[in-house]
């Protein structure tokens, strides 16, 4: 927030406010509101009870109705603030008939009062409906979806790093016939996004029996051309003399790759790993096609299925959307500079 | 942080390192037998095998599929249909009336996608350029402001779609805002025009930071002394923008435009979760059409979906070639400097 403060007092050049300062100020202010606002609204809403979610206009914070245990009644009674001729006071509702509510004073449960419902408002305090988060895990399949998402993300990222770095090593450190052909072939695949080969890919994955299997989601995504390129460009900067020296010492080619080249490529591997995690966690179209049975859904597919029901249970849906968002937000908070550097440097995404 | 990272890395890779040690002996034998070329083949094999099976082979297969008809999944069970699927996609009794087309849904999706590409890419580029220009000023805490605009880029399309579905809901917070200032609430996602605008707006929201970031990198590469010289001469800011900033940003700008076009042509996820293609077919885009015809509808028609995806792929190939050519030209220019 201090950034906002110093920012407010900044001008362009001298003491005068330039119009560009005002535009900058408005743009950045609107930016914070529009970019963060929706996600913040999602988080706030995710703690509201179903009754509160259907309120219009919505309240900013989640509230819960306060209740009181009153002598002579088994269940806790909801509290209301009543304002009428005899002043303002807090009463508990026993039952309601039409527009008249029968209410008692929790301190003095013997006398029943009849209150017109127009004269009262629910007594509420800020409170969080944690059930929105717990129920989907305990009662529905979201635990399974989360496990599936973690499995797909982890395994796909590991395979991506391994196979892409091996290919990049061969393409940057060996001179063999047909190398350029392979490079061109990989460039060519940049042009073929998954959405263009959906039908044949589905038949192949189906042919090898991987429909409704998480491996069917993982395998088609791991040979990323962008990954091979990123790593190859980086490995080209590693001096060949280093490899020659290791060969003099009778290191095998595999050792050279594993113990010399890979550690030196660590920064590029880290960038690719971060991207891969975000990509695979967020994948939607391909998992949507391959996974049709509930127990293999990933979080994204599960969320979509939930959102597509006739009676959308928004309180659960919003909470699970927040859960789905968490890993990516963590990446954003801690690793954002790697990503922005990666994009600015290579146009990767 | 870095130390924790290294430690976590060491733990995760421990089994991998063991695995690597095990592989060393057989690989030494292979190296003796097959030499350097053999090793190159070994290193390429896993990646290229996956490439081949899941990218290159399907590409060829796609063409074969587009020439067949029927509902069967495997190519061997399908009937050869020549160019029938393409004919079906492209034939209209009267080209001024899209309802007369055999596949009027395809034409609707094509029209929607074309309109989307034009509107979204234009607005996206203008907004991203403005954002990049502002972020390129001498700001305190620039990395914070950059992060603000970048944040939605990482969110999954499903999350983006749901966030905005919740905001644009009939009883959503946007309508509450409208009512608060005395306007009538709008049923955003059930009105054809508003739903389309929402699809455009939400995809811009989600991708703005990505494009602003690339443009910002381009802006930062412009030599400072140019601006200082302009300031010495008392050049007006608008003139500085048109004569210095924009021309020098152009190479980056072109790459960004092509990239935005490539993405916009394939628009699917966010829009699908937000509107499901509706109301009616107001936000039905090409990728969703392919998905519906090939997978989701009751009468699946893989051949038709393949034909449609090849038409879309053709557009994408042209755009990608353009992008690669532009990128290479920029690299050459950078080297000449």
């Amino acid at each position: 927030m201090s950034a906002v403060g110093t920012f407010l007092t900044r001008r362009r050049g001298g003491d005068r406010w330039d119009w560009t300062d005002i535009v900058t100020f408005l743009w950045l202010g609107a930016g914070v509101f529009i970019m963060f606002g929706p996600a913040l609204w999602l988080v706030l809403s995710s703690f509201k009870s179903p009754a509160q979610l259907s309120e219009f206009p919505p309240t900013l914070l989640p509230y819960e109705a306060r209740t009181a245990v009153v002598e002579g009644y088994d269940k806790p009674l909801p509290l209301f603030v009543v304002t009428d001729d005899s002043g303002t006071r807090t009463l508990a509702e026993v039952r309601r008939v039409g527009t008249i509510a029968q209410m008692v004073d929790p301190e003095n449960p013997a006398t029943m009062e009849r209150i017109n419902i127009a004269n009262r408002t629910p007594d509420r305090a800020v409170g969080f409906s944690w059930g929105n988060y717990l129920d989907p895990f305990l009662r529905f399949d979201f635990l399974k979806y989360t496990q599936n998402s973690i499995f797909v993300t982890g395994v796909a990222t590991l395979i991506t790093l391994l196979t892409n770095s091996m290919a990049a090593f061969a393409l940057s450190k060996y001179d063999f016939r047909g190398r350029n052909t392979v490079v061109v072939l990989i460039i060519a695949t940049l042009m073929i996004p998954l959405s263009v080969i959906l039908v044949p890919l589905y038949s192949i994955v189906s042919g090898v029996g991987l429909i409704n299997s998480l491996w069917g989601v993982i395998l088609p995504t791991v040979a990323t051309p962008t990954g091979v390129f990123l790593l190859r460009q980086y490995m080209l900067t590693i001096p060949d003399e280093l490899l020659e020296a290791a060969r003099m010492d009778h290191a095998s080619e595999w050792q050279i790759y594993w113990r010399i080249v890979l550690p030196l490529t660590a920064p590029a591997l880290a960038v690719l790993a971060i991207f891969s995690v975000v990509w695979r966690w967020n994948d939607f179209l391909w998992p949507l096609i391959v996974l049709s049975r509930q127990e293999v859904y990933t979080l994204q597919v599960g969320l979509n299925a939930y959102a597509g029901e006739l009676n959308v249970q928004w309180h659960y849906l919003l909470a699970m959307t927040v859960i789905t968002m968490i890993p990516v937000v963590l990446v954003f908070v801690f690793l954002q500079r790697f990503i922005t550097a990666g994009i600015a440097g290579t146009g990767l995404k | 942080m870095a130390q924790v990272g290294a430690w976590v890395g060491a733990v995760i890779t421990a089994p991998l390192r063991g695995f690597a040690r095990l592989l060393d002996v057989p690989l030494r034998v292979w190296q003796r037998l097959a030499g350097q070329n053999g090793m190159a083949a070994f290193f390429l094999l896993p990646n290229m095998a996956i490439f081949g099976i899941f990218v290159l082979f399907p590409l060829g297969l796609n063409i074969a599929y587009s020439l067949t008809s029927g509902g069967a999944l495997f190519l061997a069970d399908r009937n050869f249909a020549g160019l029938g699927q393409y004919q079906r996609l492209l034939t209209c009794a009267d080209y001024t009336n899209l309802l007369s087309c055999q596949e009027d849904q395809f034409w609707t999706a094509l029209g929607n996608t074309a309109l989307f590409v034009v509107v979204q890419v234009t607005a996206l580029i203008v907004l991203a350029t403005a954002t990049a220009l502002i972020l390129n000023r001498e700001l305190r805490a620039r990395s914070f402001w950059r992060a603000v605009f970048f944040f939605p880029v990482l969110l999954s399309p499903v999350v983006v779609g749901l966030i905005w579905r919740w905001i644009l809901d009939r009883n959503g917070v946007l309508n509450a805002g409208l009512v608060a200032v005395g306007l009538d609430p709008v049923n955003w996602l059930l009105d054809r025009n508003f739903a389309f605008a929402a699809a455009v707006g939400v995809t811009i929201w989600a991708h703005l930071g990505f494009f602003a970031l690339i443009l910002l990198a381009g802006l930062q590469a412009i030599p400072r002394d140019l601006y200082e010289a302009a300031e010495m001469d008392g050049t007006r800011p608008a003139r500085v923008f048109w004569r210095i900033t924009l021309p020098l940003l152009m190479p980056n700008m072109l790459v960004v435009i092509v990239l935005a076009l490539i993405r916009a042509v394939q628009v699917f996820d966010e829009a699908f979760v937000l509107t499901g293609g509706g109301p009616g077919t107001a936000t039905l885009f090409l990728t969703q059409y392919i998905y519906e015809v090939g997978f989701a509808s009751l009468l699946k028609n893989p051949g038709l979906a393949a034909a449609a995806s090849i038409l879309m792929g053709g557009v994408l190939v042209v755009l990608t070639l353009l992008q690669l050519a532009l990128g290479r030209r920029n690299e050459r220019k950078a080297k000449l400097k």
Side-chain angles (χ1 to χ4, degrees):
Chain A
M1 279 299 103
S2 73
V4 180
T6 46
F7 174 74
L8 277 170
T9 52
R10 256 196 55 79
R11 348 223 138 132
R12 183 172 185 266
D15 305 321
R16 252 186 61 242
W17 276 75
D18 192 85
W19 68 270
T20 52
D21 291 325
I22 298 170
V23 171
T24 304
F25 169 64
L26 290 176
W27 195 276
L28 294 181
V32 172
F33 181 72
I34 295 173
M35 295 296 159
F36 282 157
L40 198 65
W41 181 243
L42 168 78
V43 175
L44 284 173
S45 301
S46 73
F47 286 105
K48 291 178 175 176
S49 63
Q52 256 228 292
L53 285 176
S54 58
E55 250 173 59
F56 187 84
T59 55
L60 182 63
L61 295 174
Y63 288 95
E64 273 181 337
R66 285 177 50 192
T67 56
V69 181
V70 182
E71 234 183 273
Y73 300 95
D74 299 337
K75 286 186 191 153
L77 300 176
L79 290 173
F80 288 85
V81 177
V82 176
T83 313
D84 58 10
D85 305 338
S86 37
T88 303
R89 58 208 186 280
T90 303
L91 298 179
E93 181 190 84
V94 178
R95 71 180 70 84
R96 185 180 140 188
V97 184
T99 59
I100 301 296
Q102 298 182 346
M103 307 186 83
V104 293
D105 188 341
E107 306 295 317
N108 179 17
T111 48
M112 186 81 77
E113 291 189 65
R114 290 162 60 81
I115 307 284
N116 190 312
I117 58 163
N119 293 335
R120 55 163 221 191
T121 49
D123 185 10
R124 305 196 295 190
V126 174
F128 299 91
S129 301
W130 292 106
N132 293 352
Y133 283 84
L134 291 176
D135 292 351
F137 283 109
L138 300 177
R139 304 215 325 255
F140 310 108
D141 283 336
F142 271 92
L143 188 64
K144 192 76 203 150
Y145 303 165
T146 312
Q147 285 168 351
N148 292 340
S149 271
I150 292 172
F151 179 79
V152 166
T153 307
V155 172
T157 299
L158 271 183
I159 299 180
T160 300
L161 290 179
L162 188 69
T163 58
N164 285 10
S165 66
M166 282 170 66
F169 176 64
L171 293 174
S172 63
K173 293 300 172 200
Y174 289 110
D175 213 4
F176 55 93
R177 253 184 9 157
R179 186 174 77 171
N180 289 338
T181 318
V182 175
V183 173
V184 169
L185 212 63
I186 296 178
I187 293 186
T189 57
L190 274 173
M191 297 178 218
I192 317 157
L194 208 98
S195 54
V196 172
I197 51 170
L198 288 176
V199 171
L201 190 56
Y202 184 84
S203 79
I204 288 171
V205 169
S206 173
V208 290
L210 290 179
I211 294 300
N212 277 318
S213 149
L214 294 176
W215 288 100
V217 175
I218 293 170
L219 287 177
T221 58
V222 291
T224 60
T226 30
V228 175
F229 265 94
L230 178 81
L231 297 175
R232 176 171 176 261
Q233 295 309 94
Y234 201 89
M235 286 179 185
L236 284 174
T237 66
I238 297 173
D240 288 340
E241 289 78 24
L242 220 56
L243 278 63
E244 286 308 324
R247 281 183 191 125
M248 295 285 192
D249 292 340
H250 302 291
S252 70
E253 296 298 310
W254 175 250
Q255 277 177 323
I256 289 174
Y257 157 76
W258 186 257
R259 309 190 61 163
I260 299 177
V261 174
L262 261 201
L264 287 173
T265 320
L269 285 172
V271 170
L272 181 60
I274 297 170
F275 272 100
S276 176
V277 165
V278 175
W279 287 334
R280 299 293 83 87
W281 185 264
N282 289 347
D283 268 345
F284 175 57
L285 176 57
W286 183 241
L288 177 72
I289 289 172
V290 176
L291 308 175
S292 60
R293 284 214 317 266
Q294 278 231 343
E295 63 268 26
V296 285
Y297 277 0
T298 59
L299 271 175
Q300 314 291 346
V301 179
L303 275 184
N304 178 62
Y306 237 67
E309 282 177 5
L310 269 183
N311 268 322
V312 180
Q313 293 186 295
W314 275 104
H315 54 300
Y316 292 142
L317 187 59
L318 294 175
M320 287 310 100
T321 308
V322 173
I323 296 277
T324 309
M325 203 168 73
I326 286 175
V328 175
V329 170
L330 288 180
V331 166
F332 172 74
V333 171
F334 293 109
L335 303 171
Q336 187 240 131
R337 61 205 165 87
F338 292 103
I339 297 186
T340 47
I343 291 179
T346 62
L348 197 76
K349 205 224 155 189
Chain B
M1 259 311 287
Q3 222 147 26
V4 175
W7 189 77
V8 171
V11 171
I12 294 178
T13 54
L16 289 174
R17 274 178 289 151
F19 176 66
R21 207 157 293 156
L22 275 180
L23 269 182
D24 193 41
V25 178
L27 282 174
R28 267 177 196 274
V29 175
W30 173 247
Q31 189 181 336
R32 189 71 57 80
L33 288 173
Q36 281 240 332
N37 278 347
M39 283 312 284
F42 162 75
F43 281 116
L44 276 175
L45 184 70
N47 203 65
M48 295 320 281
I50 298 176
F51 249 141
I53 297 171
F54 294 112
V55 180
L56 293 179
F57 182 46
L59 191 67
L61 212 54
N62 209 9
I63 297 169
Y65 265 96
S66 74
L67 302 176
T68 60
S69 65
L73 176 61
F74 294 109
L75 198 58
D77 312 331
R78 300 177 57 79
N79 314 312
F80 183 72
L83 293 174
Q85 302 287 14
Y86 293 96
Q87 220 161 34
R88 178 163 166 197
L89 278 180
L90 298 175
T91 306
C92 296
D94 168 13
Y95 283 92
T96 55
N97 175 17
L98 293 187
L99 285 177
S100 72
C101 299
Q102 255 188 21
E103 273 296 311
D104 59 313
Q105 294 258 350
F106 173 74
W107 286 89
T108 308
L110 194 66
N112 285 344
T113 309
L115 183 64
F116 179 88
V117 166
V118 172
V119 177
Q120 198 250 13
V121 172
T122 310
L124 181 62
I125 295 299
V126 169
L127 290 172
T129 309
T131 307
L133 283 172
I134 283 173
L135 289 175
N136 194 38
R137 303 190 72 202
E138 283 174 38
L139 294 176
R140 289 275 179 97
R142 184 193 285 146
S143 55
F144 166 78
W145 297 110
R146 200 179 54 188
V148 166
F149 288 93
F150 188 72
F151 168 65
V153 173
L154 295 182
L155 296 180
S156 85
V158 178
V159 168
V160 169
L162 288 176
I163 285 180
W164 283 96
R165 224 176 108 178
W166 177 237
I167 288 174
L168 298 171
D169 193 77
R170 187 191 176 81
N171 288 327
V173 70
L174 190 62
N175 275 339
L178 287 186
V179 170
V181 296
L183 295 170
D184 284 333
V186 178
N187 221 335
W188 299 102
L189 298 178
L190 293 181
D191 175 283
R192 294 184 66 87
N193 295 326
F194 279 125
F196 192 87
V200 171
V202 168
T203 49
I204 290 178
W205 181 80
H207 299 298
L208 178 72
F210 173 75
F211 293 101
L213 201 68
I214 300 182
L215 289 173
L216 179 62
L219 283 175
Q220 285 173 340
I222 299 176
R224 288 269 152 200
D225 40 347
L226 283 178
Y227 290 108
E228 279 158 22
E231 203 172 325
M232 297 266 253
D233 295 343
T235 318
R236 279 181 298 112
R239 208 175 148 76
V240 171
F241 175 75
W242 290 110
R243 287 302 171 88
I244 299 178
T245 311
L246 205 57
L248 286 176
L249 188 61
M250 239 339 149
N252 267 330
M253 183 80 104
L254 287 176
V255 171
V256 163
I257 291 175
V258 176
L259 210 57
L261 287 172
I262 292 174
R263 293 244 196 116
V265 169
Q266 305 174 60
V267 58
F268 172 72
D269 312 18
E270 290 102 345
F272 180 70
V273 176
L274 188 71
T275 64
T281 53
T283 55
L284 177 72
F285 298 114
L286 272 181
T287 303
Q288 193 188 338
Y289 170 79
I290 295 168
Y291 166 70
E292 302 276 355
V293 169
F295 302 95
S297 70
L298 282 176
L299 278 171
K300 294 185 187 61
N301 190 339
L304 196 62
S309 67
I310 281 176
L311 293 180
M312 188 171 93
V315 176
L316 290 172
V317 165
V318 171
L319 287 172
T320 315
L321 287 176
L322 196 61
Q323 182 203 7
L324 290 172
L326 287 170
R328 194 163 292 175
R329 204 184 64 176
N330 291 353
E331 247 170 53
R332 260 211 308 277
K333 274 192 186 161
K335 271 195 196 131
L336 285 179
K337 276 181 203 154

